[in-house]
Amino acid sequence: MILVTGVSGGLGRLVLQGLSALSAPGGAEVVAGTRGGDGATARRIDFDDPGSLAEGLTGVDVLVMISAGYAEDDIVLARHGAVADAAAAAGVRHVIYTSLAASGERTTLALPHRWTENRLAQGPYDTTILRNGLYAELLGGLSTAAAGPAAGTGVFSAAYGTGRMSVVAREDLADITVRVAAEADGALTSGGRSRHAGRTYELEGVTALGGADLADLLTERYGRPVAYRPTSLTDARTALAGHGLEDYQITHTLSLLSNMAAGFLEAKVSDVPELLGRAEPRPVRDLVTESATAGG
């Protein structure tokens, strides 16, 4: 049995759909895990309620653990530690964890991911670490506030410096996760050990975009010239404070901006093309543009 957590989120939902599409009569059983699982369409897997995990993980061979990073670090560590313990107690044989790619190593996002990788490595199960690159929609989302006014002013202002961010399509990450999980389950069913056991994959985007690139994309979208103007992190902090974000969200966002401006978010290598098993990853430029201009 394969269980996928976090199916109410975008990545988890895509992974569940992909695995379910592969599941034929007599094939692997695929189940969903959600915070409010009803026991029928989904099992209750509440990372904040360790008591829910023992029953939820009963009979699971392969656990696809979608990271639950939407909180302060101490909360995330407690959540992920509880899942690691519960998976060991339930006899899960292979845990696949969606982590953060190496280009994000210097960001504040990285700490809970690296801690979780280490914590899972101490378990009695095989592990596969999928170090996911940054979503194309993330860069678009960071650009939304500046993309709207650019339609009228012809200036796209953002705290990106001269750096670029490597981004990847969420669908590509889901396809890779589906492949790894299905192959892991197949190997266990055959009495063997998956080729993915003990592996860490860097699923970085193969396309990197910066402020000038965003301005070019907006030029195409709006049909008028748009120029890029770098702004300061101080200006970015002031703008973020007015959007009702949690403190940790502001911290993580500024960390991303700072790392991008310093040139650290551009990937050097990627396992995405090999694991996708097709010629090219999905194009990301349209995804960035669409998410950047979603608010008008």
Side-chain angles (χ1 to χ4, degrees), residues 89-203:
V92 172
R93 301 165 67 187
H94 195 137
V95 178
I96 299 165
Y97 173 65
T98 60
S99 188
L100 176 70
S103 63
E105 195 70 35
R106 296 173 179 83
T107 70
T108 54
L109 296 169
L111 185 149
H113 286 294
R114 297 299 178 258
W115 181 92
T116 303
E117 291 178 16
N118 292 334
R119 183 67 179 77
L120 291 172
Q122 300 170 25
Y125 31 68
D126 285 329
T127 62
T128 303
I129 305 301
L130 302 179
R131 287 185 169 178
N132 287 348
L134 299 172
Y135 299 158
E137 294 87 350
L138 171 64
L139 179 56
L142 291 174
S143 306
T144 298
T153 65
V155 177
F156 172 69
S157 301
Y160 298 160
T162 57
R164 300 196 296 173
M165 178 189 294
S166 294
V167 293
V168 62
R170 192 192 318 244
E171 289 81 359
D172 281 347
L173 298 176
D175 287 348
I176 290 171
T177 307
V178 167
R179 177 180 183 180
V180 171
E183 291 181 0
D185 184 74
L188 292 175
T189 300
S190 301
R193 187 168 184 255
S194 172
R195 68 187 181 96
H196 303 295
R199 297 291 304 274
T200 295
Y201 295 113
E202 295 291 346
L203 305 183

Side-chain angles (χ1 to χ4, degrees), residues 201-288:
Y201 295 113
E202 295 291 346
L203 305 183
E204 301 271 19
V206 298
T207 299
L209 300 172
D213 301 304
L214 266 294
D216 289 342
L217 292 175
L218 294 174
T219 295
E220 296 176 10
R221 173 57 63 94
Y222 295 140
R224 61 159 295 176
V226 175
Y228 169 55
R229 184 179 68 192
T231 58
S232 69
L233 288 173
T234 299
D235 289 340
R237 182 185 294 275
T238 300
L240 289 167
H243 284 278
L245 300 174
E246 299 285 348
D247 289 344
Y248 76 88
Q249 293 174 312
I250 294 176
T251 296
H252 289 330
T253 302
L254 289 172
S255 177
L256 285 169
L257 294 175
S258 180
N259 273 264
M260 183 174 176
F264 290 134
L265 295 187
E266 188 167 357
K268 302 298 188 293
V269 297
S270 177
D271 294 314
V272 165
E274 177 185 356
L275 288 173
L276 273 179
R278 62 173 183 263
E280 297 289 339
R282 288 175 172 85
V284 295
R285 294 177 184 273
D286 285 349
L287 293 174
V288 173

